[in-house]
Amino acid sequence: QVQLVESGGGLVQAGGSLRLSCAASGRTFTRFTMGWFRQAPGKEREFVAAISWIAYYADSVKGRFTISRDNARNTLLLQMNSLKPEDTAVYYCAATTTYTAAAMTALQTYPYWGPGTQVTVSS
């Protein structure tokens, strides 16, 4: 079991930056693959980025977002630069013990989720 809580969301203008954090507690953080997903109003939840010993990104955020983890602080980070209005969504942190590339990008392989944090990008 692992508990996840996101922070760092907010309102930002297009072209701006935000850094999301996800604090994890419970079982050993290092054993988990960690991911970020997002859900915009009226849309399905979608993959954003994931990290184990390698990082994967959705094409829509590649080159703009950077996922990282601080294992000493049990924290997952998402640095978001060059934000666009279409990045507006609730962002969720998630954890899984799966390590394959296909599974790391799939929403249904993550059993542990945070409550989410709202990111709004104005044009």
Side-chain angles (χ1 to χ4, degrees):
Q1 191 82 0
V2 62
Q3 292 77 43
L4 305 171
V5 179
E6 304 92 341
S7 62
L11 174 64
V12 64
Q13 289 189 330
S17 298
L18 279 176
R19 188 174 81 161
L20 304 184
S21 296
C22 173
S25 60
R27 301 181 70 176
T28 307
F29 181 68
T30 54
R31 71 188 295 264
F32 290 100
T33 291
M34 301 298 297
W36 287 101
F37 292 78
R38 67 186 181 186
Q39 188 166 17
K43 296 187 177 181
E44 293 186 352
R45 195 169 299 188
E46 66 177 7
F47 170 74
V48 174
I51 186 169
S52 55
W53 58 85
I54 190 170
Y56 293 94
Y57 296 93
D59 288 343
S60 59
V61 307
K62 204 170 293 184
R64 300 188 298 122
F65 291 10
T66 302
I67 189 172
S68 61
R69 61 192 299 164
D70 184 342
N71 290 331
R73 291 180 170 82
N74 287 2
T75 300
L76 178 72
L77 301 170
L78 185 69
Q79 179 66 42
M80 306 187 295
N81 298 329
S82 303
L83 283 161
K84 305 176 181 180
E86 51 264 43
D87 294 318
T88 294
V90 177
Y91 283 71
Y92 297 91
C93 168
T96 180
T97 54
T98 305
Y99 298 97
T100 65
M104 284 173 64
T105 61
L107 180 151
Q108 62 267 25
T109 66
Y110 287 79
Y112 306 109
W113 292 85
T117 185
Q118 176 70 48
V119 171
T120 303
V121 185
S122 63
S123 57

